Amino acid sequence: MNEIFSGSFTQQEPIPEEAIEAAVAVLRHGRLHRYNTAPGELGETALLEQEFAAQMGAKYCLAVASGGYALATALRAVGVKPGDRVLTNAFTLAPVPGSIASVGAVPVYVGVTEQLVIDLDDLAAKLDQAKVLMLSHMRGHLCDMERLMALCDAAGVTVIEDCAHTMGASWNGVPSGRSGAVGCYSCQTYKHVNSGEGGLLITDDEEIAARAVMLSGSYMLFERHLAAPGAEVFERIKYQTPNISGRMDNLRAAILRPQLRVLDQQVARWNERYRAIEAGLRGTPGLTVIDRPEQEVYVGSSIQFLLLDWAAEKVTDVVRRCAARGVELKWFGAAEPVGFTSRYDSWRYAPSAPMPQSDRVLAGIVDMRVPLTFSLEDCALIARIIRAEVGAVFQGQAVAG
Ligand SMILES: *Cc1c(COP(=O)(O)O)cnc(C)c1O
């Protein structure tokens, strides 16, 4: 009899008790707005920023309403103007080109390699087309960050890192989000900490930090921040920087602070699960596991594999057969965007030139979430199901020639 998996791919863990208590305390006193503080009180949002800056080794941190808002704020804060071109990954999710479009700028897509990272040769060839790169560490895969930064520094291109999938990850010991001018994180339910919605932005640049704070809707209350530059920096920018409200509130900040304290433990738990699935998939005929570079500390909150050069209907067949056994796979190559999957050519508000090498990779990417509610036994079972179904379709394919 065929084994079936009955767990949920979208069920995250409950919010830790300590975070629930902190949230209830905020609800009891009622001061949810970040600038609504009692005399001498340090608000949860300001404390969250101070703690996250310290955790990441950054000078400045700003908490905002969402990861997408953090990306758009970063673009504005580094000076992107309507009509500017911004380099970004062809393999990413809709909020990334969306943030570029939201400031009236135009995405220029850079290809993806079989390792699922930005194609640095393609990037090198396109660096003269823009002053900013919005680098998406899509699905947690980090490229050779030293080479990327050397290329961008030499070309005078400012790097903004989209770390929605790399909070807690690092490259050669450098935390993801600390190589570029700005690092942006999401605290949305499906990422690595969960406040429903929320975002964080870090930088060492005082003007970028001050502009981001003003942009987020600080009015002239920026002195209540604990991880922002001094008032003299705001003096230089406060009359030129519009207020585009997107603040975080104290309730969400209260929920996030205890979660960030245990991020490293959560990362270890994700990676046990990731490795259990990876081990179960390795050696499946027709299926390519993505080997992770030694320099990379990743967060296995999702896993990808390639069905490279498979016919589209065979890939759909695998997805359908796995779904029938309770395993939810997403195919990034689908012609129509489904759920959260997306392809650069489905963002039609931004023109794109065909990228045949990337198209070949994208057409083969299969993706699966790995929530922490899965046990290691669940992970082994899931891998057995995928292995069996990929095997069945692959054999059929081979027989059919
Ligand atoms: C989720 C996500 C974002 C945006 O985060 P939100 O908090 O949902 O706005 C940005 N980039 C990637 C790759 C994401 O997956």
Side-chain angles (χ1 to χ4, degrees):
M1 205 195 77
N2 272 347
E3 294 179 297
I4 301 268
F5 177 65
S6 56
S8 162
F9 282 80
T10 51
Q11 181 61 55
Q12 306 293 357
E13 291 188 299
I15 300 301
E17 280 307 318
E18 194 193 342
I20 294 174
E21 278 168 30
V24 170
V26 171
L27 292 172
R28 291 232 153 87
H29 67 54
R31 292 183 294 278
L32 273 71
H33 191 284
R34 67 167 298 163
Y35 299 120
N36 182 205
T37 47
E41 182 189 16
L42 300 175
E44 291 281 347
T45 311
L47 288 167
L48 166 69
E49 291 165 343
Q50 188 178 48
E51 289 164 3
F52 192 63
Q55 190 168 351
M56 302 304 289
K59 281 195 186 152
Y60 309 113
C61 174
L62 173 70
V64 293
S66 74
Y69 183 88
L71 296 176
T73 302
L75 288 166
R76 290 192 174 96
V78 304
V80 172
K81 298 276 177 301
D84 287 357
R85 294 154 70 86
V86 174
L87 294 156
T88 195
N89 306 58
F91 175 45
T92 187
L93 289 175
V96 178
S99 71
I100 297 170
S102 81
V103 302
V106 183
V108 176
Y109 298 110
V110 182
V112 60
T113 69
E114 284 180 39
Q115 282 67 50
L116 304 192
V117 296
I118 191 164
D119 180 340
L120 294 179
D121 295 326
D122 192 30
L123 175 66
K126 291 174 175 165
L127 276 174
D128 60 350
Q129 295 186 33
K131 286 270 144 244
V132 174
L133 165 66
M134 168 72 77
L135 173 65
S136 183
H137 303 299
M138 177 59 175
R139 283 296 181 257
H141 296 273
L142 293 172
C143 70
D144 178 342
M145 288 301 294
E146 286 104 16
R147 186 171 165 222
L148 176 126
M149 289 311 301
L151 286 170
C152 290
D153 287 346
V157 167
T158 302
V159 178
I160 297 171
E161 295 183 66
D162 165 27
C163 306
H165 305 162
T166 53
M167 179 189 272
S170 58
W171 179 267
N172 256 340
V174 179
S176 186
R178 295 293 292 134
S179 299
V182 189
C184 299
Y185 306 80
S186 169
C187 312
Q188 194 231 82
T189 299
Y190 301 108
K191 311 299 164 84
H192 300 170
V193 287
N194 177 9
S195 58
E197 301 285 356
L200 290 159
L201 177 162
I202 56 170
T203 183
D204 283 349
D205 184 296
E206 60 181 21
E207 286 220 359
I208 292 175
R211 276 191 225 110
V213 168
M214 291 292 298
L215 284 163
S216 76
S218 67
Y219 304 95
M220 296 298 161
L221 300 170
F222 43 78
E223 286 183 63
R224 298 205 192 158
H225 284 244
L226 299 172
E232 69 289 354
V233 184
F234 286 90
E235 280 309 315
R236 303 205 291 269
I237 58 99
K238 69 183 188 186
Y239 299 112
Q240 275 80 42
T241 310
N243 177 325
I244 305 173
S245 288
R247 293 171 300 269
M248 176 166 284
D249 57 83
N250 287 332
L251 183 56
R252 284 187 271 174
I255 295 174
L256 289 171
R257 291 176 61 209
Q259 295 183 54
L260 282 168
R261 287 199 276 274
V262 295
L263 179 63
D264 287 347
Q265 284 116 277
Q266 299 292 78
V267 169
R269 294 176 59 223
W270 258 306
N271 290 353
E272 285 177 350
R273 286 157 180 75
Y274 181 98
R275 287 179 192 126
I277 299 168
E278 185 190 54
L281 294 183
R282 211 171 265 288
T284 305
L287 178 151
T288 311
V289 164
I290 313 292
D291 284 314
R292 311 298 299 240
E294 224 172 77
Q295 299 94 319
E296 185 191 34
V297 171
Y298 57 87
V299 184
S301 55
S302 70
I303 189 165
Q304 294 71 44
F305 57 83
L306 291 173
L307 299 179
L308 211 47
D309 301 323
W310 281 45
E313 58 281 10
K314 299 291 177 191
V315 181
T316 350
D317 215 20
V318 167
V319 173
R320 192 182 47 72
R321 294 171 69 123
C322 287
R325 295 178 65 182
V327 175
E328 250 180 67
L329 302 176
K330 298 279 155 109
W331 179 37
F332 277 99
E336 275 301 307
V338 182
F340 64 87
T341 62
S342 231
R343 243 172 45 174
Y344 69 91
D345 52 2
S346 56
W347 303 313
R348 292 186 200 158
Y349 51 83
S352 59
M355 290 189 275
Q357 276 176 310
S358 294
D359 291 343
R360 171 173 176 256
V361 176
L362 288 170
I365 302 176
V366 180
D367 172 69
M368 188 182 85
R369 289 182 201 278
V370 185
L372 287 175
T373 46
F374 288 0
S375 67
L376 296 179
E377 294 70 44
D378 290 340
C379 293
L381 168 61
I382 288 166
R384 284 198 299 278
I385 292 173
I386 298 173
R387 192 181 187 93
E389 296 306 333
V390 167
V393 176
F394 186 70
Q395 270 185 350
Q397 179 166 264
V399 170

